[in-house]
Structure formats: structure tokens, C-alpha cells
């Protein structure tokens, strides 16, 4: 789960990490509490907003209203904000990049730092001159020393920051905590200019305090090609990717990726059919289910319902296997809907009805 | 991982009284797996489907040697279950549970490495050694005894590959789903080493995915350590690149995480690669 900047910064503040003073602006607020000059920041759950006009410095009262209106209507990578953050302007001496993340390969938490932070950080880093070390509760002292010496600051300045960042990361089941830029101010302090944070959804059961803005998630249904001719429905991310790959390998154009997930029911599958109908050039729908926890009969019921509810449904090519397979085939057969033994057969048949 | 780990006899189920645990205890026993006992903290003394229930692994060990534990406990308790099994020195621990927090797995992995036990999973379908042992939820009907070693990150593609080979009359020695979570007990290299060292295996099928770099490491390992033919497919050739949140992925070399670059790395290691699961199954000799 991605947090918005202001949500992540609230977690930083709760862990005694310095952040700029700021207020949250909703669409219908009075703006009286905003001190000028201020930095207005669109609260969208994607990176790169600065380059797209999502961060604006406002100096006068006259500019404020229109700047707020502009930011609320500005689309940033398909997101428009529900709130803005108005922060004090910080006088910057140096900017750095610091992040904590979970590294798959070493199965550890890693501390990454780079001297020159900012929006272009990944392009500016030349291969090996950034700091990349494993970090652990038991080694925090020496980790802080390494960070201090890398960034060329006194350990007294760096150690509390790192200890608190580590605590924020572990207490909140974070998988990414990125401070970019970490600002060294003209007053000689370190303060977090921007923060991106990702929390582990799986840990929600032990965080009743989590109450963040819902962000639309498209992990289950991804549009691949608006002109695609083959729509796909599958279960499990791996099988869904494999189904799309197999369509492409047969020289047909996949329109979408859809993983109906483990707990799919008739209603959620029907929604998927309706989203597929928004594509203009679908010649065939390939349904590939290898059911473990998903039940084939549930999928079959959804298919029958879709046929009834949706006019001009393109031809369906269905492959079902696994849990309750026989029941599903019987249900479909009663409605004169046939199934195929393999994905490959489905694709061969779909190819026959494809126009382009 | 030694091959003896997977052919060992005495299996227990942690979380045997839950719906998944009870259901799959029955399917494992129906496939000939020798389940000596199960655990459930509050239901000690009961008998489920002929299998005695104990409160702890330690209590089971008073009556039986324990070679393998298959874990079905709910995610909030999975860490404690794995750590209990590690402390009891169960040589092979297979965690089927989905949704284990990644910070929990960091802790489990560290303890497992210090204790010299093997963990497979979490969030995986487990292991099927056709005709010998069903350790998890891979349907026994998907496999047939033979000489291929299959290892996969994706659960559904594990089934797909096994069923596809079985339909072609090509049997398998091992079908191992290592799970797709960020922190895995066992990785591709552990399985490749097992397959290379076991004389019962004559060819290898590897199924990867976009994201992470475990396939690149597998390619490096194959180049220097694997003499048997390897067939591979990386799912996600047509997947869109996800919207990157931060810069960390790019700094740490996220470009190598695409299906195309992983496939290329495997090709350079002498692996026969396929661009779809269908052609992968056809390619295996």
C-alpha cells in the first residue's frame, strides 16, 4: 500500500523525524491558515509529480487561490489529488537521497544513500558511488557511522535520524521508506523534504491504526492495448501473465491482463466482463482458470450470467481445470457453452475468429 | 537441500484443525503421505481423520520423530509456527500460508539460516514428489513419476507445467512451488542444486516471473554449476511496467527485472527458453 506524502510524513513526525511545517488543504477549506510563501504539493500516489507541475511555490495571496484550483484539477499520471499539502519553504544548502527498503536477494533491510538527491537521482547516479548496506537493529551504531561519513556530517546529526527512520520502517511494516530530498538546511539541520512510503498490506491485521486514503488499485485489471483483439480472464498473477504471453506468442493482440484472484465470485467476474466490453475491437475472450482455491463452478455461473446480461458478447474460449471442474462443465453444457481441454486449443480457436 | 529431505517419512501438519489444514491432510494422506500427527494450540487430544492432534511440535516429538512439517496456520500466526518448527529442528518446513508479513519472514529467514533447516514458502503450493510424497496442495493427479525437476515461483504455473508434462507422458521427480513472496525460504538456486545433485533427475524446468533478480542469479548458477538440460519460461513478456513509486527500484537496477532481460540471461547460460507456457511444455525433451 502506497502512502501519500502527507500520510508518510505524519508517520515520520510521530517518530520524531523533522519534517517541514505544513497544513493539509481540502477542496472546501478556508485558506487562512496558510503562511506565505508556501510550497503547494499535489498529494498523488505516484512519483515524478514535480516535473509534471504538481509542486508550486506560492509567494502572494493573489496567486494562492488559482494555484490551489490548478493543482486540484491537474492530472498527474491518471491521478488527481483529493488533498494538497502546503508546506513552509525550507532554505536548502544540500540535498541528499536516503531510503530503507527490503531486499529480496539478501533477505535484509538495506540502507541506500546518495549524496546528490533530487528528482533526477536515478539518472545521476554513476554505478557504484552510492551507499548500499544491510541495516539491522543490532548494527545501527555502525550503520549510522557509515552514513555520517558517506554524507560527511557529524555522527550526532545523523545517528538520531537513522535510528528514527529505522524505527518508523519496522514499526509500520514498511517495505519502502524513501526520503528524497533529505535537506541540509542553512541552519545546519537535516529535514525530510519529501517522503515516499509503501506499507505491507499483509500486516494490516496488526495495524488497527492504519487509516489512509483509498487509492485506486489496478493490479487485477490492467489495460494493455485499447486496440487489442483478445481479452483475457485468468486466476493467479502467474497464470494471468502466462495467458497474455501465450496470446502474444500466437501473434494476436492481447487487450488486457486480468487476475480474478483466489476468492473470485460471480459478481466480481461479471464486473470483469463489463470492463472488457469497454474495449472496441475484441474478437474473442479467452478464459483460463486453473482452480485451487477458486472454484470452477463459480466461474461457470459468472460466465452464464454474463451471457444473459451482456448483449453481443464476443465468442468465449474457455479452459477450466482444478477444483469443481466437472460441476462447472455440466453447468456450462446445460447452456450449450463448450469448454476446451487446454489453453493452446482455446488460442487456436480464437485465432480462427480474429480479424486482424 | 539434500534429496533425502523430500523422501523422508514422518510428516506433521501445523494448523491441522483449520479448514485448509484438515482438507489437505486428507488429500495428502490419500496420496500416501505418512502424516503422524498435527498441531493445534487448543485442540490437543482430538483425532482428525485418524491423525492425533497435539498442542506443540515438542509434544509430538515425545512420541514420533518429525522429518517434515507442512504449515497451514493463518497468516497472523505463521511466523510463530515457523519459528516453533525451526526451534524443534524439523529438517524440512513447508509453509503454504498466504499473506505472511514480509518483516515476519525476515526474522524467520534469519533464524532458519542459523539453525540449518530448510524452509519452502510461504505463499506456495508446496512440493510433490510423484508417487512418493505430497507435501502441500499440488493435486497428486497433476504429476506422474519420472525424471524432470520443476521449480516455479507461481502456484498456478506450477500446476500448469506439471499437468502439461504429465499429459505428454513426461514424468517428474520433483514439482516444487517456491512461492512468489519477496522473502522466500528457498530460492531457485537451492532447487537447481538439488536437481543437479540428484541422479534421479535428468532435466530441469524453471518458471520465473517479472520482478526481482532471482532468475538472473539462477542463470549465473546454471552457467557455472548445472550440467543437465534446463528449460525455462519467464511469465510477463507482455506485462506493462508497473508505475514506479520511488527511485529505489531504478537505482538498484530494476531494468534487469523484465521478462526479456531475464530470458536473455537464461539463454546466455545455455537454457532453452520459451515465450509462453504452451511452448515451454512442448520444448521439454
Amino acid at each position: 500500500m502506497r502512502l501519500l506524502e502527507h500520510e508518510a510524513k505524519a508517520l515520520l513526525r510521530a517518530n520524531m523525524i523533522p519534517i517541514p511545517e505544513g497544513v493539509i488543504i481540502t477542496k472546501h477549506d478556508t485558506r487562512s491558515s496558510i503562511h506565505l510563501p508556501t510550497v503547494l504539493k499535489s498529494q498523488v500516489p505516484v512519483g515524478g509529480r514535480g516535473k509534471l507541475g504538481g509542486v508550486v511555490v506560492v509567494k502572494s495571496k493573489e496567486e494562492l487561490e488559482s494555484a490551489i484550483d490548478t493543482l486540484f484539477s491537474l492530472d498527474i499520471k491518471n491521478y488527481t489529488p483529493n488533498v494538497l499539502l502546503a508546506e513552509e519553504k525550507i532554505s536548502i544548502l544540500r540535498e541528499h537521497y536516503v531510503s530503507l527498503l527490503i531486499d529480496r536477494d539478501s533477505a535484509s533491510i538495506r540502507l541506500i544513500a546518495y549524496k546528490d538527491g533530487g528528482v533526477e537521482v536515478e539518472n545521476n547516479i554513476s554505478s557504484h558511488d552510492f551507499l548500499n548496506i544491510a541495516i539491522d537493529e543490532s548494527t545501527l551504531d555502525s550503520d549510522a557511522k557509515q552514513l555520517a561519513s558517506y554524507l560527511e556530517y557529524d555522527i550526532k546529526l545523523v545517528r538520531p535520524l537513522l535510528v528514527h527512520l529505522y524505527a518508523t520502517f519496522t514499526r509500520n511494516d514498511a517495505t519502502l521508506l524513501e526520503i528524497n530530498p533529505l535537506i541540509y538546511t542553512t541552519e545546519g539541520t537535516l529535514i525530510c523534504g519529501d517522503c515516499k512510503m509503501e506499507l505491507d498490506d499483509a500486516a494490516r491485521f496488526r495495524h488497527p491504526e492504519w487509516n489512509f486514503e483509498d487509492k485506486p488499485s489496478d493490479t487485477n485489471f490492467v489495460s494493455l492495448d485499447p486496440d487489442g483483439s483478445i481479452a483475457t480472464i485468468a486466476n493467479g498473477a502467474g497464470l494471468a501473465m502466462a495467458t497474455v504471453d501465450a496470446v502474444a506468442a500466437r501473434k494476436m493482440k492481447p487487450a488486457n491482463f486480468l487476475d480474478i484472484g483466489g476468492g473470485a465470485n460471480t459478481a466480481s467476474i461479471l464486473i470483469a466482463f463489463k470492463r472488457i466490453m469497454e474495449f472496441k475491437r475484441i474478437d474473442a475472450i479467452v478464459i483460463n482458470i486453473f482452480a485451487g482455491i477458486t472454484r470452477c463452478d463459480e466461474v461457470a455461473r459468472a460466465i452464464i450470467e454474463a451471457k444473459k446480461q451482456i448483449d453481443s458478447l464476443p465468442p468465449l474460449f474457455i479452459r477450466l481445470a482444478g477444483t469443481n471442474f466437472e460441476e462447472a462443465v455440466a453447468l456450462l453444457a446445460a447452456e450449450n457453452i463448450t469448454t476446451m481441454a487446454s489453453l493452446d486449443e482455446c488460442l487456436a480457436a480464437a485465432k480462427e475468429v480474429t480479424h486482424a | 537441500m539434500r534429496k533425502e529431505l523430500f523422501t523422508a517419512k514422518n510428516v506433521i501438519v501445523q494448523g491441522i484443525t483449520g479448514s485448509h489444514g484438515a482438507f489437505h491432510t486428507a488429500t495428502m494422506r490419500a496420496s500416501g503421505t505418512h502424516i503422524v500427527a498435527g498441531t493445534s494450540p487448543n485442540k490437543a487430544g482430538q483425532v482428525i481423520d485418524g491423525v492425533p492432534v497435539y498442542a506443540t511440535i515438542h509434544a509430538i516429538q515425545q512420541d514420533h520423530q518429525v522429518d517434515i512439517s507442512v504449515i497451514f496456520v493463518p497468516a497472523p500466526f505463521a511466523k510463530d509456527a515457523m519459528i516453533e518448527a525451526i526451534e524443534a529442528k524439523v529438517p524440512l518446513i513447508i509453509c503454504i500460508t498466504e499473506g505472511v508479513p514480509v518483516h515476519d519472514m525476515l526474522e524467520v529467514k534469519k533464524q532458519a539460516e542459523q539453525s540449518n533447516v530448510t524452509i519452502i514458502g510461504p505463499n506456495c503450493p508446496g512440493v510433490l514428489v510423484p508417487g512418493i510424497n505430497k507435501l502441500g496442495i499440488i493435486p497428486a493427479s497433476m504429476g506422474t513419476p519420472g525424471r524432470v525437476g520443476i521449480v516455479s515461483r507461481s502456484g498456478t504455473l506450477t500446476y500448469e507445467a506439471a499437468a502439461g508434462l504429465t499429459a505428454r507422458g513426461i514424468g517428474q521427480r520433483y514439482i516444487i512451488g517456491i512461492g512468489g513472496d519477496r522473502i522466500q525460504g528457498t530460492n531457485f538456486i537451492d532447487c537447481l542444486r538439488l536437481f543437479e545433485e540428484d541422479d534421479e533427475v535428468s532435466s530441469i524446468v524453471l518458471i520465473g516471473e517479472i520482478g526481482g533478480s532471482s532468475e538472473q542469479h539462477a542463470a549465473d548458477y546454471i552457467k557455472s554449476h548445472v550440467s543437465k538440460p534446463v528449460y525455462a519460461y519467464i511469465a510477463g513478456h507482455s506485462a506493462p511496467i508497473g508505475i514506479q513509486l520511488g527511485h529505489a527500484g531504478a537505482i538498484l537496477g530494476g531494468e534487469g527485472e523484465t521478462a526479456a532481460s531475464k530470458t536473455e540471461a537464461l539463454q546466455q547460460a545455455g537454457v532453452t527458453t520459451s515465450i509462453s507456457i504452451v511452448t515451454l511444455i512442448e520444448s521439454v525433451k
Side-chain angles (χ1 to χ4, degrees):
Chain A
M1 176 181 35
R2 296 168 182 186
L3 300 192
L4 296 172
E5 177 191 10
H6 76 88
E7 294 169 334
K9 280 181 166 170
L11 295 180
L12 295 182
R13 185 193 288 277
N15 284 281
M16 296 177 292
I17 297 166
I19 57 169
E21 289 298 324
V23 290
I24 291 163
I25 305 172
T26 64
K27 283 178 187 158
H28 309 290
D29 271 349
T30 56
R31 328 300 199 198
S32 55
S33 55
I34 301 170
H35 299 288
L36 297 173
T38 188
V39 186
L40 276 183
K41 301 160 109 178
S42 178
Q43 298 297 288
V44 285
V46 284
R49 67 179 170 183
K51 286 185 231 170
L52 298 170
V55 178
V56 180
V57 178
V58 177
K59 293 186 181 118
S60 71
K61 224 168 175 169
E62 295 71 49
E63 294 168 89
L64 188 61
E65 276 306 318
S66 69
I68 289 173
D69 290 346
T70 305
L71 280 191
F72 270 126
S73 55
L74 179 69
D75 178 295
I76 298 171
K77 298 181 183 171
N78 294 323
Y79 292 95
T80 51
N82 291 317
V83 298
L84 307 179
L85 179 60
E87 283 190 336
E88 65 173 319
K89 208 166 171 299
I90 302 290
S91 43
I92 299 168
L93 215 55
R94 297 169 69 193
E95 289 186 310
H96 310 294
Y97 173 96
V98 173
S99 67
L100 296 177
L101 55 87
I102 306 237
D103 179 49
R104 291 168 187 256
D105 290 342
S106 59
S108 64
I109 302 172
R110 295 197 82 81
L111 164 66
I112 316 288
Y114 188 63
K115 283 191 183 104
D116 302 314
V119 292
E120 298 281 358
V121 62
E122 70 269 43
N123 301 330
N124 295 341
I125 287 187
S126 45
S127 56
H128 290 299
D129 53 2
F130 61 97
L131 182 74
N132 177 356
I133 57 173
I135 175 169
D136 187 82
E137 191 94 55
S138 60
T139 60
L140 271 181
D141 278 326
S142 65
D143 300 335
K145 268 182 207 154
Q146 286 197 63
L147 181 61
S149 105
Y150 172 78
L151 293 177
E152 298 172 335
Y153 292 121
D154 194 299
I155 182 73
K156 289 196 191 87
L157 192 62
V158 171
R159 190 180 180 285
L161 175 79
L162 188 64
V163 167
H164 293 145
L165 283 176
Y166 184 80
T168 310
F169 189 81
T170 52
R171 279 179 197 157
N172 291 290
D173 276 290
T175 53
L176 174 70
L177 169 53
E178 181 176 273
I179 310 294
N180 184 34
L182 173 68
I183 298 169
Y184 183 67
T185 66
T186 48
E187 288 93 50
T189 59
L190 287 173
I191 186 166
C192 299
D194 189 6
C195 179
K196 292 189 176 66
M197 208 164 165
E198 229 168 67
L199 307 182
D200 182 5
D201 281 309
R204 189 178 279 279
F205 65 84
R206 60 182 167 222
H207 292 283
E209 79 284 7
W210 282 0
N211 181 22
F212 303 110
E213 185 180 309
D214 281 334
K215 288 114 204 152
S217 159
D218 262 343
T219 48
N220 290 338
F221 191 108
V222 180
S223 171
L224 297 173
D225 180 354
D227 294 327
S229 56
I230 307 292
T232 68
I233 298 177
N235 70 309
L239 192 63
M241 284 193 280
T243 304
V244 171
D245 284 351
V247 170
R250 277 259 186 183
K251 311 274 182 238
M252 296 183 284
K253 282 184 354 195
N256 74 302
F257 162 98
L258 172 61
D259 166 16
I260 59 169
N265 56 38
T266 305
S268 65
I269 299 169
L270 258 180
I271 291 170
F273 272 107
K274 288 180 178 157
R275 288 203 62 177
I276 286 169
M277 294 309 289
E278 293 167 12
F279 290 78
K280 297 292 170 239
R281 295 167 193 260
I282 302 294
D283 293 326
I285 302 176
V286 172
I287 301 171
N288 188 21
I289 305 293
F290 213 128
I293 295 166
T294 308
R295 289 162 33 211
C296 288
D297 59 309
E298 193 76 35
V299 177
R301 286 194 182 87
I303 292 169
I304 292 164
E305 202 51 41
K307 277 222 148 190
K308 283 183 187 149
Q309 288 190 18
I310 302 170
D311 294 335
S312 66
L313 195 68
L316 305 178
F317 299 96
I318 305 163
R319 180 282 184 114
L320 301 172
T323 311
N324 293 0
F325 160 74
E326 290 86 357
E327 202 182 330
V329 171
L331 282 169
L332 292 170
E335 303 285 332
N336 291 321
I337 303 169
T338 54
T339 58
M340 297 181 165
S342 70
L343 173 60
D344 202 32
E345 274 182 48
C346 290
L347 295 173
K351 184 103 189 168
E352 296 289 314
V353 301
T354 307
H355 301 115
Chain B
M1 286 197 304
R2 295 164 296 109
K3 59 181 183 181
E4 292 77 15
L5 280 179
F6 298 91
T7 50
K9 271 269 160 311
N10 287 1
V11 179
I12 64 164
V13 172
Q14 286 175 264
I16 195 168
T17 55
S19 62
H20 292 304
F23 179 77
H24 287 290
T25 298
T27 67
M28 284 190 277
R29 293 185 77 213
S31 313
T33 303
H34 182 61
I35 298 181
V36 294
T39 66
S40 181
N42 302 316
K43 293 183 178 160
Q46 291 187 5
V47 175
I48 299 274
D49 190 26
V51 179
V53 180
Y54 293 69
T56 64
I57 299 176
H58 182 74
I60 296 173
Q61 287 172 321
Q62 308 309 305
D63 297 338
H64 303 279
Q65 177 185 322
V66 177
D67 302 317
I68 299 168
S69 177
V70 185
I71 299 178
F72 288 94
V73 307
F77 312 107
K79 178 182 87 173
D80 289 345
M82 283 184 267
I83 286 179
E84 183 189 355
I86 292 166
E87 287 175 346
K89 301 203 179 331
V90 177
L92 177 59
I93 302 161
I94 297 174
C95 185
I96 308 300
T97 309
E98 183 180 347
V100 180
V102 63
H103 282 263
D104 288 2
M105 271 315 290
L106 286 176
E107 214 175 310
V108 168
K109 178 107 179 166
K110 199 186 285 177
Q111 288 219 24
E113 278 167 2
Q114 287 162 2
S115 312
N116 199 25
V117 300
T118 295
I119 293 188
I120 295 179
N123 187 19
C124 77
V127 179
L128 182 65
V129 186
I132 295 175
N133 244 343
K134 170 174 150 68
L135 306 165
I137 65 175
I138 301 173
S141 60
M142 308 263 163
T144 188
R147 301 182 60 84
V148 177
I150 300 176
V151 59
S152 165
R153 273 168 72 182
S154 150
T156 39
L157 291 181
T158 312
Y159 302 168
E160 192 75 54
L165 289 181
T166 297
R168 284 192 57 208
I170 299 175
Q172 313 89 30
R173 173 65 176 169
Y174 299 98
I175 304 164
I176 305 180
I178 56 175
D181 280 6
R182 210 178 304 220
I183 305 297
Q184 300 160 320
T186 291
N187 60 28
F188 281 133
I189 293 175
D190 300 320
C191 295
L192 289 168
R193 187 180 298 126
L194 169 75
F195 297 166
E196 176 67 16
E197 287 172 0
D198 188 343
D199 294 335
E200 305 280 329
V201 174
S202 49
S203 62
I204 297 169
V205 170
L206 182 149
I207 302 169
E209 279 177 21
I210 50 173
S213 51
S214 57
E215 291 82 0
Q216 267 85 356
H217 297 303
D220 291 342
Y221 186 82
I222 290 167
K223 206 180 228 171
S224 51
H225 291 89
V226 177
S227 62
K228 298 173 183 177
V230 182
Y231 305 90
Y233 161 62
I234 307 295
H237 282 271
S238 311
I241 303 304
I243 299 164
Q244 273 279 351
L245 173 64
H247 298 273
I251 291 172
L252 294 180
E255 278 172 17
E257 299 187 2
T258 63
S261 61
K262 289 180 180 203
T263 300
E264 197 187 318
L266 287 162
Q267 281 171 350
Q268 284 173 3
V271 173
T272 305
T273 61
S274 294
I275 53 167
S276 93
I277 186 78
V278 176
T279 48
L280 171 75
I281 293 164
E282 288 166 358
S283 72
V284 178
K285 292 191 186 92

